[in-house]
Amino acid sequence: MLQAFPSYKQFNLTDQLRRAVVSIPTNIVEGCSKDTQKELIRYLYISSGSTHEVEYLLLLSKDLGYLKEIDYLQLQEDVVSIKKCLQF
């Protein structure tokens, strides 16, 4: 899907989206390695923030015409599912 982005956007919006997506599980894993529940929760909040960032970047991509509506809806559904998993 990201291949549909204009080439001059490949290293801007797509890079930001990829970094936000990778940040979600990375922060969960890092939080799980911490010694206290308070630290784990802090990293889960960071992961949650990354899901909101992904959600916005997908919406922006759709609004700019870089992402088809059907692809946006599927990805948005995935993001909502992840957000539900991070609710605590």
Side-chain angles (χ1 to χ4, degrees), residues 5-46:
F5 282 52
S7 60
Y8 64 91
K9 294 290 183 186
Q10 288 283 330
F11 299 106
N12 295 320
L13 191 54
T14 56
D15 185 53
Q16 184 67 27
L17 184 56
R18 284 185 178 119
R19 284 187 283 127
V21 167
V22 169
S23 177
I24 298 167
T26 302
N27 279 297
I28 293 170
V29 170
E30 188 170 355
C32 288
S33 72
K34 299 301 178 181
D35 293 330
T36 67
Q37 187 173 7
K38 183 178 178 180
E39 288 178 297
L40 168 61
I41 291 170
R42 180 175 160 266
Y43 281 90
L44 292 176
Y45 275 117
I46 294 168

Side-chain angles (χ1 to χ4, degrees), residues 17 33 52-53 65 72 78 85:
L17 184 56
S33 72
H52 290 281
E53 183 178 358
Y72 167 76
D78 294 341
C85 290

Side-chain angles (χ1 to χ4, degrees), residues 21 24-25 28 47-48 50-51 54 75-87:
V21 167
I24 298 167
I28 293 170
S47 291
S48 180
S50 294
T51 62
V54 168
L75 292 167
Q76 177 61 19
E77 187 177 308
D78 294 341
V79 171
V80 168
S81 177
I82 293 167
K83 285 170 64 176
K84 287 179 182 178
C85 290
L86 288 172
Q87 290 178 351

